[in-house]
């Protein structure tokens, strides 16, 4: 140790224990023994005297007396004080008044003498002074053996005023008050550097270890060594935290050859160090070097602790037993690493970072070795090893994760980053080799390859999910899906082959048992559950893969839908062939097969988006590919649905045939005449009314439908109703009677309408029989009204292209006192008529207004006003106003209409050119803001045919037995005959009429 440091330690001890000289001597002896300076101890102590001096303050208090009440406080002149040291003697004259200060370096072996003159011999005679109980009495009442009295400085108390009557000789004396004051010059003591303090601490503990009697040194200093050590630290104001750091560094580099250190010593120091950490002064000059040295010692200790674990297999995790050992070994170092003081010195190296880096190196080294071993494995062994790796990381990594996490190391992340490159090389090389060597014609090899690669894919997906959970940077494992780009197609092929075989092995209808066992449920084939599990299995396989690469998603999504549709077709074909075979329970087999096909189809239709991972496809695939997948899936499902519904329809048609007897009985009862139904009644029986008969028929039909509804699924039931309706229609057509009153058809129509409604047949207009019955149930009057209403609708709907039209202003008002409607109509003009040859025809247009039909508006009660002819005009403008009165009950009746008939006035007979119709209920009502409304009424050609009008045909059919219908048909027939006659006359005489017109022009 440096001499200056030893001097500082000696000075610190001298000052610290100066109050107890005896104890001080013990301390100094121990100091010389510890630091081995006995041979130069006195010189050290001599050097240290300058750091602690004394001052004797002398003040005269009177003469001769001994108290404060003596004579005036003065001192005779020429009174000297002599300081007698071992080697020298000093004198100093006392002030006659006031305080005289004598500077004394040390009290040991120093005497004091007073006199009037200075002695020449220099060294007075020394006499020993005996110590007694009262120093004050000893000084006051000491015997005066001579005139010169010598006072020992060592007997003076510190900071206590002592009065002494000093005999000066020659009969003179003086009463002096003396106070010995100690001067502490510790600020002059050089501060200890950390190296010196560290060496001092080591010396203390090494001496204590050498002199302890136990086999292990417990780190505790004995007395007075303990007092010395802490007194020095206190003297130099060294914080307890720095003190404990220094002790910790000494123990970390302890030499066990001298004496082994008890581990308890390190633990105790660590606890004390953590306890006093909060009180540390961060600005203390020794803290920084102490921490630096502590870091160096801790790092060396870390290297020493981790050396035995350099070949430890930290990855993959196997057992946590070795972790316990290393965790115990690093406990002390961990306590040092977690000290908060390291955070206050961010730029300073700390053992925590070093420990983390060393442990990370061990982990990465273990992962690298494991990766190198993967490169040497065969494909199947590699797959098994990666599977084991995943299982181990899932089940055994938690202790490892916790252990490394306490050192701020991501166990899985660090290992996987180091393993990433080796893992990538090993897997890609193995996959490429397997693709090159696989025998595509061997289904067993292909199936095994599919299972192995899918399992490998799932394992890598799980590894990636684990890696992503730790937010690691991009690595090659993130792109592992690209390694399987050429393998996906084999998976889809294997899915299809395996599932097709499994579908073929599902339970047949022959093994299904009777439908009675299903109770209240709709009967389903027993093999359906197995089939749905097969379908779900395909979806589960794809979902487990969790694709994110668009290539995989597009191929597998479309393939899953395609495979499911193919499986449905295969299962439906199997059920269809089994159900169509002759069997005593054919009805039950037909129902189960139908429901099985429908349920299989609905299962895929309702869940195909989930099965084919459409949500994931929408997330990762671009718009064009997504649209292609959707279109393909929709097309496949639509085609499969059509095929299944065709098979279901065939099955249901056979099922309905089994119910033909019931349907036939319903049809016969429905078509029977009321009189025929009552003819078989006895005399005491009441006649059955028409409504009761229909109600009975409906109840029978409802029972049949309810039985079928309970057996079939909703969509199958809906399809079956079509077959039941067709069968019922066929039977009705066989049994219906012709040329019956409208009431007969009306009853059948009403009953059939209720039956169709119960059968949930929505579009009743497509049912020809129902439409025919409905029309035949009309009265003749209703048919005529419907005929005219259809003409009005046809005009409003088609407008006949560029047909000519008549412009009118029309409105109606209700007369207040009469139940009559007044129609105000103003005929304005007419557009040219294309079918009139104006070059050869003489046209004199006029308009006649008529109310139709005539059964409501007879000609003898309702006038038909006409306009004036407009001679030789192709664009006539009449501008005439007419008023027509219509009964209120007829005005809003559908079919009641106003006909606007345009005629060409001829010499012999007026020729009808065209006719338009306005429904009376569509005439606008007059208002103050708009008295009339302008309308353009299209004109039907005069040769417009009624042959395509259904109401006209019904009236024509009814005319032989109905006078009203007969009159209507005859009127329409005469009109058409007259039109054809006029057209024939015009064609026959066209040239003559043209010459006459030309002659008139020339004239």
């Amino acid at each position: 140790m440096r001499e200056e440091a030893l001097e500082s330690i000696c000075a610190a001890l001298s000052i610290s224990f100066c109050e107890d000289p005896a104890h001080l001597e013990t301390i100094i002896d121990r100091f010389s023994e510890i630091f081995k300076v006995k041979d130069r101890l006195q010189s050290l102590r001599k050097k240290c005297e300058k750091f602690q001096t004394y001052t004797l303050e002398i003040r005269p208090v009177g003469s001769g007396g001994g108290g404060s009440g003596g004579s005036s406080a003065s001192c005779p002149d020429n009174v000297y004080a002599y300081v007698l040291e071992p080697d020298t003697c000093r004198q100093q004259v006392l002030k006659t008044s006031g305080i005289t200060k004598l500077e004394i370096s040390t009290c040991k072996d120093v005497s004091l003498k007073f006199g009037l003159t200075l002695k020449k011999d220099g060294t007075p005679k020394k006499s020993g002074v005996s110590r007694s109980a009262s120093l004050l009495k000893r000084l006051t009442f000491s015997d005066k053996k001579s005139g010169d009295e010598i006072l020992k400085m060592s007997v003076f108390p510190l900071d206590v005023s002592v009065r002494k009557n000093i005999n000066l000789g020659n009969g003179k004396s003086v009463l002096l008050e003396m106070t010995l004051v100690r001067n502490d010059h510790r600020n002059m003591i050089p501060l200890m550097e950390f190296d010196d303090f560290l060496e001092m601490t080591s010396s203390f503990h090494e001496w204590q270890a050498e002199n302890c009697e136990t086999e292990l040194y417990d780190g505790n200093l004995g007395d007075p060594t303990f007092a010395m050590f802490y007194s020095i630290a206190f003297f130099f104001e060294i914080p307890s935290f720095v003190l404990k750091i220094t002790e910790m560094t000494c123990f970390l580099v302890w030499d066990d050859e001298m004496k082994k250190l008890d581990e308890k010593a390190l633990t105790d120091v660590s606890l004390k160090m953590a306890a006093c950490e909060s009180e540390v002064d961060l600005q203390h000059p020794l803290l920084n070097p102490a921490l630096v040295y502590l870091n160096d010692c801790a790092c060396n200790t870390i290297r020493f602790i981790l050396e035995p674990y350099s070949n430890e297999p930290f990855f993959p995790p196997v057992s946590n037993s070795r972790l316990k050992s290393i965790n115990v070994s690093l406990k002390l170092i961990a306590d040092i690493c977690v000290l908060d003081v390291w955070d206050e010195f961010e730029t300073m190296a700390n053992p925590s970072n070093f420990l983390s880096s060393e442990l990370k190196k061990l982990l990465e080294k273990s992962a690298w070795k494991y990766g190198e071993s993967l490169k040497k494995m065969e494909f199947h062994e590699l797959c098994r090893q990666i599977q084991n790796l995943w299982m181990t990381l899932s089940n055994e990594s938690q202790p490892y994760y916790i252990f490394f996490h306490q050192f701020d190391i991501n166990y899985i992340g660090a290992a996987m980053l180091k393993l990433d490159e080796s893992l990538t090389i090993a897997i890609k090389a193995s996959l490429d080799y397997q693709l090159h060597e696989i025998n595509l014609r061997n289904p067993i090899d292909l199936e095994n390859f599919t299972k192995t690669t899918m399992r490998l894919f799932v394992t890598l997906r799980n590894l990636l999910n684990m890696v992503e959970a730790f937010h690691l940077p991009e690595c090659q494992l993130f792109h592992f899906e690209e390694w399987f780009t050429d393998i996906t197609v084999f998976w889809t092929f294997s899915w299809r082959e395996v599932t097709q075989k499994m579908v073929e092995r599902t339970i047949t209808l022959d093994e299904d048992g009777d439908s009675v066992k299903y109770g209240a449920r709709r009967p389903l084939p027993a093999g359906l559950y197995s089939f749905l599990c097969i379908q779900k299995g395909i979806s589960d396989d794809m979902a487990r893969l969790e694709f994110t690469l668009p290539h995989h998603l597009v191929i597998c999504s479309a393939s899953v839908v395609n495979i499911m549709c193919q499986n449905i077709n295969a299962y439906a074909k199997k059920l269809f062939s089994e159900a169509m075979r002759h069997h005593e329970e054919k009805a039950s087999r037909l129902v189960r097969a139908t429901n099985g096909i429908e349920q299989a189809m609905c299962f895929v239709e309702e869940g195909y988006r989930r099965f084919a991972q459409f949500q994931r496809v929408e997330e990762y695939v671009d718009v064009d590919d997504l649209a292609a997948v959707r279109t393909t899936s929709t097309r496949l499902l639509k085609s499969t649905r059509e095929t299944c519904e065709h098979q279901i329809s065939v099955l249901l048609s056979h099922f309905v045939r089994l119910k033909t007897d019931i349907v036939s009985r319903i049809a016969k009862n429905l078509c029977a005449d009321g009189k025929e139904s009552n003819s078989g009644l006895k005399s005491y029986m009441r006649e059955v009314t028409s409504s009761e008969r229909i109600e009975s028929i409906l109840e029978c039909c409802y029972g049949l439908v309810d039985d079928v509804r309970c057996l079939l699924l909703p969509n199958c039931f809906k399809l079956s109703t079509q077959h039941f309706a067709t069968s019922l229609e066929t039977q009705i057509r066989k049994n219906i009677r012709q040329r019956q009153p409208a009431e007969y058809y009306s009853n059948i129509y009403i009953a059939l309408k209720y039956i169709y409604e119960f059968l949930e047949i929505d579009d009743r207009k497509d049912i020809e029989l129902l439409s025919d019955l409905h029309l035949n149930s009309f009265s003749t009057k209703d048919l005529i009204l419907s005929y005219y209403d259809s003409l009005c609708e046809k005009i409003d709907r088609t407008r006949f292209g560029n047909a000519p039209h008549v412009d009118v202003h029309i409105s109606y008002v209700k007369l207040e006192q009469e139940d009559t409607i007044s129609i105000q109509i103003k005929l304005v003009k007419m557009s040219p008529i294309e079918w009139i040859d104006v070059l050869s025809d003489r046209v004199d247009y006029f308009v006649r207004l008529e109310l139709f039909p005539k059964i409501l508006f007879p000609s003898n009660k309702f006038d038909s006003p006409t306009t004036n002819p407009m001679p030789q005009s192709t664009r006539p403008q009449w501008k005439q106003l007419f008023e027509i009165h219509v009964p209120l009950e007829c005005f809003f009746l559908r079919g009641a209409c106003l006909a606007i008939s345009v005629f060409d006035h001829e010499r012999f007979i007026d020729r009808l050119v065209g006719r338009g119709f306005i429904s009376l209920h569509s005439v606008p009502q007059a208002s103050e803001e708009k008295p009339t409304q302008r309308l353009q009424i299209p004109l039907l050609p005069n040769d417009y045919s009624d042959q395509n009008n259904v109401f006209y045909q019904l009236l024509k059919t009814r005319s032989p037995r109905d006078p009203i219908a007969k009159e209507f048909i005859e009127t329409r027939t005469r009109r058409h005959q007259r039109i054809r006659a006029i057209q024939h006359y015009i064609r026959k005489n066209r040239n003559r009429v043209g010459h006459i017109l030309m002659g008139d022009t020339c004239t």
Side-chain angles (χ1 to χ4, degrees):
M1 183 180 292
R2 294 183 305 114
E3 187 71 19
E4 186 179 3
L6 290 172
E7 183 178 334
S8 297
I9 294 172
C10 184
L13 292 173
S14 299
I15 294 174
S16 299
F17 294 96
C18 64
E19 300 289 344
D20 190 348
H23 192 199
L24 174 61
E25 292 303 320
T26 303
I27 293 296
I28 293 300
D29 289 342
R30 179 63 57 84
F31 164 75
S32 63
E33 184 178 351
I34 292 174
F35 294 98
K36 300 178 176 55
V37 291
K38 287 185 177 182
D39 55 340
R40 48 197 177 99
L41 179 61
Q42 293 303 322
S43 63
L44 279 175
R45 297 191 70 177
K46 187 68 176 177
K47 294 178 181 178
C48 294
E49 290 179 356
K50 61 185 175 183
F51 302 121
Q52 185 176 14
T53 60
Y54 298 88
T55 301
L56 183 64
E57 298 178 353
I58 304 174
R59 182 173 65 88
V61 294
S63 61
S68 59
S71 59
S72 60
S74 61
C75 180
D77 294 336
N78 299 323
V79 175
Y80 286 87
Y82 300 96
V83 180
L84 304 177
E85 296 177 350
D87 297 328
T88 60
C89 176
R90 293 186 294 113
Q91 68 175 7
Q92 184 173 345
V93 65
L94 299 182
K95 297 179 181 179
T96 57
S97 62
I99 296 175
T100 302
K101 294 183 178 181
L102 295 180
E103 299 296 333
I104 303 172
S105 62
T106 179
C107 293
K108 185 179 180 182
D109 299 332
V110 177
S111 301
L112 180 64
K113 181 181 177 181
F114 296 94
L116 294 174
T117 60
L118 180 63
K119 292 192 175 183
K120 297 180 181 180
D121 54 3
T123 302
K125 182 180 177 181
K126 300 180 182 179
S127 60
V129 178
S130 62
R131 297 178 181 267
S132 63
S134 174
L135 179 62
L136 182 61
K137 289 182 179 181
R138 186 167 62 249
L139 292 173
T140 305
F141 302 105
S142 61
D143 295 335
K144 302 177 181 179
K145 298 180 179 181
S146 62
D148 297 332
E149 185 176 0
I150 298 175
L151 302 177
K152 292 288 186 179
M153 294 300 301
S154 59
V155 299
F156 273 81
L158 290 174
D159 300 324
V160 177
S161 297
V162 178
R163 292 185 178 186
K164 176 71 175 174
N165 191 18
I166 303 299
N167 184 10
L168 299 176
N170 298 327
K172 294 183 179 180
S173 64
V174 62
L175 181 62
L176 299 177
E177 182 181 86
M178 294 174 287
T179 304
L180 183 64
V181 179
R182 182 171 58 194
N183 300 319
D184 193 345
H185 302 290
R186 65 179 63 199
N187 57 339
M188 298 173 57
I189 300 175
L191 295 177
M192 294 185 67
E193 296 180 359
F194 176 74
D195 292 339
D196 300 327
F197 184 69
L198 175 64
E199 187 174 353
M200 180 198 75
T201 305
S202 300
S203 299
F204 276 119
H205 282 286
E206 288 173 359
W207 183 89
Q208 189 68 44
E210 289 178 358
N211 292 273
C212 71
E213 299 177 356
T214 59
E215 294 181 2
L216 300 177
Y217 175 52
D218 61 0
N220 295 321
L221 297 174
D223 194 36
T225 312
F226 178 86
M228 294 173 59
F229 181 62
Y230 281 92
S231 296
I232 296 170
F234 180 78
F235 181 86
F236 288 105
E237 298 180 351
I238 299 175
S240 298
F241 183 67
V242 176
L243 187 67
K244 295 304 175 185
I245 288 178
T246 309
E247 284 189 307
M248 177 61 75
T249 55
C250 292
F251 292 160
L252 289 176
V253 296
W254 189 264
D255 186 5
D256 287 339
E257 293 183 357
M258 178 178 57
K259 178 164 286 192
K260 294 192 68 174
L261 182 68
D262 192 349
E263 293 184 0
K264 186 175 178 297
L266 289 167
T267 305
D268 292 343
V269 174
S270 175
L271 292 175
K272 294 175 182 178
M273 184 167 56
C276 62
E277 181 185 10
S278 59
E279 303 174 0
V280 66
D281 180 12
L282 299 178
Q283 305 300 324
H284 195 278
L286 294 186
L287 178 60
N288 194 296
L291 289 175
V292 171
Y293 189 70
L294 177 61
N295 174 66
D296 294 340
C297 294
C299 291
N300 290 329
T301 305
I302 290 170
R303 293 189 186 95
F304 176 77
I305 293 174
L306 296 181
E307 179 63 28
Y309 303 96
S310 58
N311 295 318
E312 183 74 17
F314 290 102
F315 187 86
V318 179
S319 174
N320 57 1
S321 59
R322 295 289 288 170
L323 287 181
K324 294 180 181 179
S325 174
I326 189 173
N327 201 32
V328 172
S329 301
L330 292 174
K331 176 64 172 63
L332 177 65
I333 296 298
D335 292 340
I336 296 174
C337 293
V338 298
L339 292 174
D340 294 335
V341 72
W342 298 112
D343 298 333
E344 303 296 335
F345 300 89
E346 297 180 355
T347 58
M348 182 186 298
N350 61 77
S352 177
N353 294 337
F354 181 79
L355 177 58
S356 298
S357 64
E358 291 298 309
L359 286 174
K360 189 174 181 181
K361 289 178 182 178
L362 291 178
L363 176 61
E364 290 177 344
K365 179 181 179 181
S366 179
W368 178 82
K369 289 182 178 179
Y370 179 75
E372 292 300 311
S373 67
L374 293 179
K375 296 180 182 179
K376 304 174 183 178
M377 294 181 183
E378 184 265 336
F379 177 68
H380 293 283
E381 182 184 359
L382 174 64
C383 294
R384 286 193 297 271
Q385 188 62 38
I386 295 176
Q387 179 71 19
N388 293 335
L389 171 63
W390 158 243
M391 296 298 295
T392 304
L393 290 177
S394 300
N395 301 325
E396 305 291 340
S397 65
Q398 189 65 18
Y400 284 80
Y401 175 78
I402 295 174
F403 171 76
F404 283 95
H405 183 69
Q406 66 182 342
F407 303 108
D408 198 24
I409 299 174
N410 184 344
Y411 172 72
I412 295 178
M416 290 304 298
L417 282 177
K418 192 65 177 179
L419 181 64
D420 181 62
E421 183 177 357
S422 300
L423 184 67
T424 302
I425 295 173
I427 295 177
K428 290 179 70 174
S430 296
L431 289 176
D432 292 341
Y433 179 78
Q434 290 298 313
L435 282 174
H436 184 265
E437 295 295 326
I438 190 172
N439 184 5
L440 299 179
R441 297 183 179 181
N442 190 332
I444 297 177
D445 291 349
L446 186 58
E447 183 177 351
N448 292 334
F449 174 75
T450 298
K451 291 179 180 179
T452 305
T453 52
M454 282 185 62
R455 195 157 43 242
L456 176 61
F457 188 95
V458 172
T459 304
L460 292 175
R461 169 65 66 195
N462 293 333
L463 283 174
L464 178 60
N465 292 339
M466 179 180 291
V467 170
E468 288 178 339
F470 294 101
H471 307 288
L472 296 183
E474 190 82 8
C475 59
Q476 296 185 58
L477 184 61
F478 280 50
H479 308 284
F480 82 95
E481 289 190 48
E482 298 176 359
W483 310 341
F484 295 82
T485 303
D486 299 329
I487 300 176
T488 313
V489 65
F490 296 103
W491 297 348
T492 58
F493 178 79
S494 182
W495 290 343
R496 184 184 63 188
E497 294 299 315
V498 172
T499 54
Q500 287 283 345
K501 295 177 182 178
M502 296 174 69
V503 170
E504 293 175 0
R505 294 195 296 267
T506 53
I507 300 175
T508 64
L509 292 177
D510 297 330
E511 303 168 349
D512 214 4
D514 189 21
S515 61
V516 176
K517 69 178 182 180
Y518 293 97
R521 295 179 298 154
R522 293 183 178 90
L524 295 168
L528 177 63
Y529 179 77
S530 300
F531 174 77
L532 297 183
C533 290
I534 294 170
Q535 299 285 71
K536 186 63 169 60
I538 303 172
S539 171
D540 293 342
D541 283 348
M542 181 176 177
R544 190 163 55 250
L545 296 172
E546 298 180 13
F547 289 125
T548 58
L549 193 67
H551 171 81
H552 295 325
L553 285 169
V554 171
I555 291 179
C556 290
S557 295
S559 297
V560 164
V561 177
N562 183 37
I563 294 170
M564 287 185 169
C565 290
Q566 290 181 1
N567 290 343
I568 291 174
N569 288 330
Y571 186 64
K573 184 178 180 181
K574 177 181 178 181
L575 291 178
F576 182 84
S577 61
E578 293 174 356
M580 292 298 290
R581 288 201 297 265
H582 179 72
H583 197 275
E584 59 182 2
E585 293 182 356
K586 186 171 184 178
S588 173
R589 295 165 67 88
L590 290 171
V591 169
R592 281 178 283 151
T594 300
N595 288 338
I597 296 173
E598 175 62 23
Q599 188 63 53
M601 190 67 215
C602 290
F603 180 76
V604 174
E605 285 180 332
E606 293 171 0
Y608 80 94
R609 292 180 58 85
R610 183 178 71 258
F611 298 151
Q613 298 287 299
F614 263 55
Q615 184 177 0
R616 187 175 288 273
V617 174
E618 293 169 355
E619 181 179 357
Y620 293 101
V621 176
D622 58 37
V623 178
D624 295 337
D625 290 340
L626 175 61
V629 172
R630 286 175 174 170
T631 303
T632 302
S633 301
T634 304
R635 178 177 53 80
L636 290 170
L637 290 171
K638 182 180 179 182
S639 174
T640 307
R641 165 57 74 178
E642 291 174 354
T643 303
C644 290
E645 287 191 349
H646 174 71
Q647 293 173 323
I648 291 173
S649 180
V650 174
L651 292 173
L652 290 175
S653 66
H654 285 76
F655 176 73
V656 171
R657 288 177 192 173
L658 299 177
K659 307 291 183 180
T660 302
D661 294 342
I662 302 175
V663 176
S664 177
R665 187 166 60 251
I666 293 173
K668 288 180 180 180
N669 293 334
L670 191 61
C671 296
D673 193 353
K675 295 178 180 179
E676 180 182 352
S677 300
N678 293 324
S679 62
L681 298 176
K682 304 296 182 180
S683 59
Y684 57 85
M685 293 182 179
R686 182 177 64 83
E687 291 186 0
V688 179
T689 63
S690 176
S691 60
E692 291 176 338
R693 185 172 60 82
I694 292 176
E695 185 176 351
S696 175
I697 295 171
L698 291 177
E699 287 180 359
C700 180
C701 186
Y702 292 164
L704 173 62
V705 172
D706 285 338
D707 291 342
V708 176
R709 191 194 301 271
C710 292
L711 292 174
L712 298 175
L713 294 174
N715 191 50
C716 296
F717 170 74
K718 187 175 181 180
L719 292 174
S720 69
T721 57
Q722 301 289 343
H723 291 283
F724 274 107
T726 303
S727 178
L728 182 61
E729 181 177 348
T730 302
Q731 295 299 324
I732 289 175
R733 288 189 183 278
K734 289 181 180 180
N735 295 279
I736 198 169
R737 304 189 179 186
Q738 303 297 327
R739 301 181 182 276
Q740 296 296 314
E743 184 180 359
Y744 171 80
Y745 298 106
S746 178
N747 291 335
I748 298 176
Y749 168 75
I750 293 172
L752 195 59
K753 184 177 179 182
Y754 280 119
I755 292 173
Y756 284 164
E757 182 177 351
F758 191 73
L759 292 175
E760 299 178 1
I761 299 176
D762 299 328
D763 194 4
R764 300 190 183 98
K765 292 182 179 180
D766 293 341
I767 302 173
E768 184 178 354
L769 175 61
L770 192 64
S771 179
D772 293 344
L773 290 172
H774 177 60
L775 294 176
N776 281 296
S777 66
F778 282 12
S779 65
T780 303
K781 179 181 177 181
D782 291 338
L783 286 175
I784 294 174
L785 288 171
S786 298
Y787 168 77
Y788 283 104
D789 187 49
S790 66
L791 290 180
C792 294
E793 287 183 357
K794 189 171 184 66
I795 290 174
D796 292 338
R797 185 171 63 250
T798 62
R799 295 294 178 181
F800 295 95
N802 297 322
H805 57 268
V806 176
D807 289 356
V808 300
H809 290 180
I810 188 170
S811 64
Y812 80 90
V813 294
K814 181 179 179 183
L815 301 180
E816 296 180 358
Q817 298 179 354
E818 302 177 11
D819 293 336
T820 305
I821 297 295
S822 175
I823 299 176
Q824 303 288 334
I825 180 170
K826 181 179 181 181
L827 297 169
V828 182
K829 63 180 180 178
M830 185 186 72
S831 63
I833 301 178
E834 296 181 358
W835 58 76
I836 298 296
D837 188 357
V838 297
L839 295 178
S840 58
D841 293 348
R842 176 185 177 88
V843 288
D844 301 322
Y845 294 130
F846 70 93
V847 177
R848 178 185 298 164
L849 302 176
E850 298 178 86
L851 293 172
F852 285 98
K854 292 303 180 181
I855 58 174
L856 293 179
F857 310 104
S859 299
N860 56 355
K861 293 184 179 181
F862 295 89
D863 296 334
S864 300
T866 60
T867 63
N868 298 323
M870 300 296 293
Q872 298 294 322
S873 176
T874 59
R875 299 176 183 272
Q877 297 183 6
W878 297 282
K879 297 182 181 180
Q880 289 183 252
L881 180 64
F882 299 94
E883 183 177 4
I884 300 175
H885 290 240
V886 179
L888 181 62
E889 66 272 11
C890 298
F891 182 77
F892 294 102
L893 195 64
R894 294 194 67 88
C897 60
L898 175 64
I900 301 177
S901 304
V902 179
F903 290 90
D904 178 19
H905 178 66
E906 297 289 349
R907 181 178 302 176
F908 301 104
I909 184 172
D910 295 331
R911 178 166 60 98
L912 179 64
V913 176
R915 176 173 288 171
F917 296 91
I918 304 175
S919 296
L920 294 184
H921 66 81
S922 66
V923 175
Q925 186 176 7
S927 62
E928 294 182 0
E929 295 81 6
K930 204 169 186 180
T932 60
Q933 184 173 343
R934 184 188 175 203
L935 296 178
Q936 290 184 341
I937 311 301
L939 299 178
L940 293 174
N942 55 6
D943 58 350
Y944 179 75
S945 175
D946 291 324
Q947 298 301 318
N948 295 326
N949 192 299
V950 63
F951 301 104
Y952 181 82
Q953 296 300 324
L954 286 172
L955 287 168
K956 189 174 181 180
T957 304
R958 193 177 292 185
S959 61
R961 64 182 185 277
D962 189 316
I964 298 176
K966 181 178 180 181
E967 182 182 356
F968 177 82
I969 294 299
E970 288 178 350
T971 301
R972 299 293 298 172
T973 302
R974 288 195 299 269
R975 172 178 171 271
H976 285 293
Q977 289 174 351
R978 186 167 57 249
I979 290 173
R980 285 195 295 269
I982 292 174
Q983 290 176 344
H984 177 70
Y985 174 80
I986 291 174
R987 284 196 300 269
K988 185 177 180 180
N989 298 283
R990 181 179 300 274
N991 293 333
R992 185 172 64 84
V993 173
H995 287 308
I996 294 173
L997 290 174
M998 291 179 65
D1000 292 342
T1001 303
C1002 294
T1003 304

